Amino acid sequence: MSEPSPPSLAFNEEQQMLSDSLLGFLGSMRARASVRAVRDAAEPVGYSADAWRKFCAAGYAATSIAEDHGGAGLGGIETAIVARELGRALIAFPFATGSVAAAAAIEAAGSEAQQISLLPAIAAGHSVATLAVEENSKHQPGRIDLNATPAHDGFVLDGTKKWVPWGAEADLLVVTARLYGGVAFFCLDKGRDRMAIEPVTFADATRPAHVRLDAVRVPLSALLGSVADGSATLHRSLDKARVAIAAELVGLAEAVFARTLEYLRQRRQFGKFIGEFQGLQHRAAHLHVQLAQSWAAVLGAARTIAQPHADARLFASVAKARACDAASLAIEEGIQMHGGIGMTDDIDLGLYAKRARVLQEAFGDKHFHHDRIASLNGY
Amino acid sequence: MMSGSLDLFRTETRNWLERNCPPEMRRPPLEQERCWGGRRWVFSSDAQRVWLERMAERGWTAPGWPSEYGGGGLDRDEVAVLKEEMGLLRCRPPLESFGLWMLGPVLLKFGTVAQKRQHIAPIVRGEIRWCQGYSEPEAGSDLASLRTRAEKAGDCFIVSGQKIWTSHAHNSDWIFCLVRSDPTASRHGGISFLLFDMETPGITTRPITMISGLSNFCEVFFDQVSVPRDNLVGEAGQGWTIAKYLLTQERGSISELKPLNADGTLGRLAADALGRTPEGALDQATLRARIAAYEADAIAFEWMAKHFADLDSKGQLLPTASSILKYASSELNKLRHDLRMSSGGSGFLEWQSEVSREGHEARGWLRSMGNSIEGGTTEIQLNIIAKHALGLPGA
């Protein structure tokens, strides 16, 4: 018998419906949930909690989580579709850097009992979860100073995680810590575990937080799984997050490109539509190709990330690196082609730029991933 | 085809290939080992001859073409299975041919029964080698401005003019040629598609030496060449329509040809020359980063090609896909060669030596610069994308 061919990268009917329905659903909540709305809101909350609740009620937060654990049990491509539409709608939710990343860590590191206890609430959106790995300004997942020392009936955690995504609002924080010289995952609960939260506001109006753990006692159950060598687990969970973030970046870039094309078709100077000038046509065509290539890289990574595929890590880094490049190009060309008004706060381009920058830094920028591609490919 | 019988076909195909593909034919050919066929072809080995004969006998040089004209008569799924099985055994294509890639599809779509009967089987068997008479010194990207004249004279056309960039014309038996058959008609409307024998009196061929040192491109001069009327493909004045159809076929095959080696090949090559850090990284951070960026783009391109193939299976692929693939792959291939030259250093600069395999790398780098020019320049592809994919005004 021939081997089954891998699932098509072209959307099946369900995936197309998911994509179409999200476009409408998120479009209808832009007014109150977009980066602009959040930025200009009376309360600095980092995202629209009300819109997030509706998003979760519709089941979207559960996309990447297994059915056994209260999730929708959909695959990598569906997760990428959800993230892409969030990017397109310029709505920042604790999805890619929140529920997908944290859930991936819990699934990769946690025992079955822990998964059953933690994941359903994340899938339903009752818990806002996040993955806290950074201790420095640049993503260096291997540099962990947060220490876990075994103690009576648990562990003592001491150290700081910085710029934890959704840190101000999350109630569950999955943190990486040094334990027995290896990497361990702990799932902390704001309701149970003492921690000092210092929120900051990012350029895209989201609110990460510095989280200080000052000799905090946590129970044994806070340790995900039982073994403290989570390096492979770390990258597996980070890779799922990276692919979802890459999808969000591509959706964002596609939205910027669509607005730019519209502007090229409307704006007149020198007696012509500016879209008639060949210089701009060629740059737009080039950008179209970059976006097609980047989305395909996300699809490929999304498909392989679920399987124990030898190149899953490589493809995740390719997807993130390419998505970063595509977003940078779309934004720079978008602002440039809009001319002066591209530089004003009146239109959304600047907000897309700020959101993209935050996503580009999350879990490794393109330089990090180029470096990783080289390492994975043996040079 | 039902999956059960497709599996049977796969098994039979695999067995047949095992028994009939000579071992020497089970690796990709070097440039000089490619089999082009034709009246004057001298096989480089028995294995090359045998492989072509066996595949041609089944029509498997053109597996999807109708068997009534000599093709393999396979359906789309079976063609895919044959390609996969050949890939698994690393069987090289038994025949490289513009007849296969370009003219055959045109004849199947636009040709008369008599033309199909005359030309298809010899293409399949590699007995006739074809070249493409399109570009002229004054008609490159603006192909429609071509001037080679074909004047009606009784039951013949009399062809006079000149073509350029005609690949392998000096080794070809027949030519398919775009000619201006009606100078009074519109630019596009006065063009016809003619076939004729390169042995016809009045034809002179002159190879052009390229910067790579190779001379596969030729100028071809026509001085009152007499061509039978029956050699007109389609209607008089339909040449431009036929040419456009053929160009999309050509674009597809160009994109298929080049492996992008995004698997550390370049990095390891550079490490041979530059050494490695104690951590095992290429000991030049800037070149390392540049190679990694290339690999990210190359792998993304491969995903895009797969995505397009999957969309095509569902009938969802837009026609501009061939322009996108051609543009992206040609720019990537140029970058790959540039990085290979950087990675190889001085050894690759030797033009004629064993060390450099007779300048293989440098010649390859130089030749690659033509990728963004031939088969529709990068600028033309971007125009096409701007107009047809993006709907930009006045494009």
Side-chain angles (χ1 to χ4, degrees), chain B residues 264-275:
Chain B
T265 299
L266 291 171
R268 288 190 291 276
L269 179 61
D272 284 346
L274 287 159

Side-chain angles (χ1 to χ4, degrees), chain B residues 212-231:
Chain B
S212 57
L214 302 169
S215 302
N216 289 330
F217 292 105
C218 300
E219 291 181 286
V220 188
F221 301 89
F222 308 114
D223 185 7
Q224 310 279 333
V225 178
S226 178
V227 176
R229 286 214 63 175
D230 286 345
N231 290 15

Side-chain angles (χ1 to χ4, degrees), chain A residues 1-3 6-13 16 257 261 264-265 273-278 280-286 288-290 292-301 303-304 314-315 317-318 321-322 325 369-375 377-379, chain B residues 7 10 14 262-268 271 276 280-282 287-289 291-301 303-308 310-311 314 316 320 323-324 327-328 332 378-383 385-387 389-395:
Chain A
M1 277 291 284
S2 49
E3 282 128 17
S8 175
L9 294 176
F11 288 168
N12 59 31
E13 244 187 83
Q16 188 61 54
F257 184 51
L261 282 178
L264 291 180
R265 291 190 197 108
F273 295 108
I274 62 170
E276 291 177 61
F277 291 111
Q278 196 183 48
L280 299 184
Q281 289 184 353
H282 282 194
R283 279 157 60 187
H286 172 76
H288 176 75
V289 174
Q290 295 306 302
Q293 206 158 303
S294 301
W295 176 238
V298 168
L299 284 173
R303 190 172 80 185
T304 53
L314 175 66
F315 294 152
S317 279
V318 167
R322 282 294 327 160
D325 265 340
H369 286 289
H370 285 164
D371 183 69
R372 191 176 183 228
I373 287 165
S375 300
N377 269 346
Y379 61 95
Chain B
D7 288 331
R10 183 183 292 278
R14 190 175 291 186
D263 56 0
T265 299
L266 291 171
R268 288 190 291 276
R276 294 174 182 268
L282 168 60
L287 179 57
R288 181 175 185 266
I291 292 171
Y294 162 77
E295 289 192 332
D297 283 352
I299 291 170
F301 171 83
W303 281 120
M304 183 170 72
K306 285 197 181 95
H307 187 204
F308 284 179
D310 285 347
L311 288 168
K314 296 197 170 172
Q316 292 170 3
T320 45
S323 289
I324 291 174
Y327 166 58
L332 272 172
T378 276
E379 290 72 20
I380 292 292
Q381 305 304 346
L382 291 172
N383 281 357
I385 293 166
K387 177 175 183 175
L390 306 181
L392 287 174

Side-chain angles (χ1 to χ4, degrees), chain B residues 73-262:
Chain B
L74 302 184
D75 68 33
R76 200 191 172 117
D77 291 332
E78 290 165 318
V79 171
V81 164
L82 173 61
K83 286 204 162 96
E84 282 162 20
E85 292 303 317
M86 284 176 68
L88 283 173
L89 264 186
R90 307 188 73 212
C91 305
R92 67 178 61 169
L95 182 64
E96 318 266 2
S97 161
F98 296 143
L100 284 178
W101 304 329
M102 301 178 206
L103 179 66
V106 157
L107 287 179
L108 290 171
K109 191 171 166 73
F110 296 97
T112 62
V113 168
Q115 286 167 341
K116 290 185 240 197
R117 287 203 180 120
Q118 181 185 3
H119 297 296
I120 297 287
I123 289 173
V124 169
R125 290 193 298 261
E127 288 165 358
I128 294 293
R129 184 170 178 178
W130 288 84
C131 60
Q132 177 190 44
Y134 272 26
S135 299
E136 299 180 1
E138 302 302 313
S141 285
D142 187 11
L143 183 57
S145 69
L146 66 92
R147 299 178 193 174
T148 295
R149 272 292 274 127
E151 290 190 34
K152 260 176 273 178
D155 60 355
C156 282
F157 288 100
I158 304 298
V159 177
S160 288
Q162 184 195 348
K163 294 295 180 187
I164 194 170
W165 311 130
T166 316
S167 298
H168 306 294
H170 56 321
N171 292 321
S172 296
D173 306 314
W174 275 67
I175 184 169
F176 52 93
C177 204
L178 287 179
V179 296
R180 187 160 301 282
S181 50
D182 186 353
T184 66
S186 67
R187 257 165 50 101
H188 293 122
I191 296 172
S192 294
F193 196 99
L194 269 189
L195 311 176
F196 49 98
D197 194 323
M198 290 291 281
E199 298 277 299
T200 313
I203 303 179
T204 315
T205 304
R206 215 170 66 207
I208 302 169
T209 306
M210 308 295 278
I211 59 179
S212 57
L214 302 169
S215 302
N216 289 330
F217 292 105
C218 300
E219 291 181 286
V220 188
F221 301 89
F222 308 114
D223 185 7
Q224 310 279 333
V225 178
S226 178
V227 176
R229 286 214 63 175
D230 286 345
N231 290 15
L232 174 68
V233 178
E235 307 292 325
Q238 202 185 7
W240 188 247
T241 303
I242 295 172
K244 278 198 300 191
Y245 174 76
L246 190 152
L247 282 172
T248 59
Q249 306 292 305
E250 184 185 21
R251 234 161 253 154
S253 65
I254 285 172
S255 303
E256 272 165 17
L257 290 177
K258 296 175 239 313
L260 291 172
N261 297 135

Side-chain angles (χ1 to χ4, degrees), chain A residues 50-51 89 101 171 184 275 281 295 305 326:
Chain A
D50 179 59
D171 46 282
Q281 289 184 353
W295 176 238
I305 200 84

